[in-house]
Amino acid sequence: MNTGIATVRLAGPDDVDAFKHIRLEALRLEPAAFASRVQDWEALPDEEWQRRVTSGAVFIAFREDEPVGLMGLLREQSAKSRHRATIVMVYVRASERGAGTAKALLDALTRYARQEGILQLELTVSVENPAAQRFYAREGFAEIGRLPAGLIHEGREIDEVMMAKRVGP
């Protein structure tokens, strides 16, 4: 059991290796949880990894120097919807679950979102992940709908729960 909460920071250009490490770990260990496939990310050139870590907001949780969690934020680009952003790439290593790492990531992401003028956070979570649904509900997210067959993993259709939370005025 880990003691203390992992350190979370907004990733920058120097964090590409940590980002690549934890993102590929997430896709390998929890393939049904993500829309992306590990093979697609493994094939990315270094320049694309660099772009992905710096073009949006990517938060990485570290225990000492080891990346142990990840959470990204994609802001809507349209003038009428720039007040909204979607939480993506959420992953916390199994050994960190229940230790406050997911909350630390979400808190850092939420502070950042508010500073950027984002008023609403949105996400989707697999119906097969009730622990994540409970976590988001505890953190103030409300279910706003369901996306039938939001993902197809190994030929199996998996519904997704759509959730949102107001974080601004």
Side-chain angles (χ1 to χ4, degrees), residues 103-117:
K103 182 165 176 36
L105 282 160
L106 183 59
D107 288 349
L109 181 143
T110 301
R111 280 191 303 276
Y112 173 88
R114 285 185 182 122
Q115 291 168 355
E116 294 296 311

Side-chain angles (χ1 to χ4, degrees), residues 72-131:
L73 188 66
L74 292 177
R75 186 176 196 159
E76 293 289 327
Q77 295 303 303
S78 162
K80 291 182 180 181
S81 60
R82 282 191 53 78
H83 65 286
R84 297 171 42 221
T86 303
I87 296 174
V88 296
M89 296 190 298
V90 178
Y91 173 73
V92 173
R93 185 176 285 169
S95 61
E96 292 289 321
R97 294 177 191 160
T101 302
K103 182 165 176 36
L105 282 160
L106 183 59
D107 288 349
L109 181 143
T110 301
R111 280 191 303 276
Y112 173 88
R114 285 185 182 122
Q115 291 168 355
E116 294 296 311
I118 293 168
L119 305 178
Q120 182 166 292
L121 296 175
E122 303 167 6
L123 59 88
T124 59
V125 61
S126 169
V127 296
E128 296 179 352
N129 192 345

Side-chain angles (χ1 to χ4, degrees), residues 34-52:
F34 299 101
S36 298
R37 297 178 328 140
V38 68
Q39 299 90 335
D40 298 333
W41 282 71
E42 285 173 331
L44 294 176
D46 291 342
E47 302 78 36
E48 183 60 17
W49 282 99
Q50 183 80 28
R51 188 192 71 73
R52 289 184 186 201

